[in-house]
């Protein structure tokens, strides 16, 4: 079904954001951006998602907006992740 397809397409960053793990979601998206073969295309996608998700899934919009902010300001995030356990 459609719902299953949407779940399969969800990125790790999106799954973390929707699970309330804001810092980890932003870190995952930042890493994905760093490894992107086409960073301009990635930024365009993040901009689109930040706008489209604002009303229905604000956690996703916030995640995309945070990474866009880091990139546009030319700064690197200070990522501090707790060890699982």
């Amino acid at each position: 079904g459609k719902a299953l397809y949407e779940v399969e397409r969800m990125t790790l960053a999106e799954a973390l954001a929707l699970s309330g793990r804001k810092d980890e979601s932003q870190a995952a998206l930042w890493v994905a951006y760093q490894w992107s073969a086409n960073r301009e295309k990635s930024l365009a996608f993040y901009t689109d998602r930040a706008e489209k998700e604002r009303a229905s899934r604000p956690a996703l919009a916030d995640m995309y907006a945070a990474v866009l902010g880091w990139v546009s300001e030319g700064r690197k995030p200070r990522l501090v992740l707790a060890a699982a356990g």
Side-chain angles (χ1 to χ4, degrees):
K2 185 176 179 182
L4 179 59
Y5 176 71
E6 290 174 1
V7 169
E8 289 173 358
R9 290 184 49 223
M10 185 177 297
T11 66
L12 173 61
E14 290 172 332
L16 289 167
L18 293 173
S19 297
R21 297 166 70 178
K22 179 181 173 181
D23 292 342
E24 292 166 303
S25 72
Q26 292 175 1
L29 190 62
W30 178 255
V31 170
Y33 172 74
Q34 293 303 309
W35 284 92
S36 174
N38 186 337
R39 289 185 176 179
E40 291 301 316
K41 186 175 180 180
S42 293
L43 291 178
F45 177 77
Y46 298 169
T47 300
D48 180 64
R49 295 287 288 181
E51 294 169 5
K52 288 183 177 176
E53 296 291 355
R54 178 61 51 205
S56 61
R57 298 191 289 186
L60 292 184
D62 291 345
M63 175 191 66
Y64 285 113
V67 173
L68 284 167
W70 295 335
V71 173
S72 68
E73 295 168 10
R75 61 188 177 96
K76 294 179 181 175
R78 183 168 170 250
L79 304 174
V80 179
L81 300 177

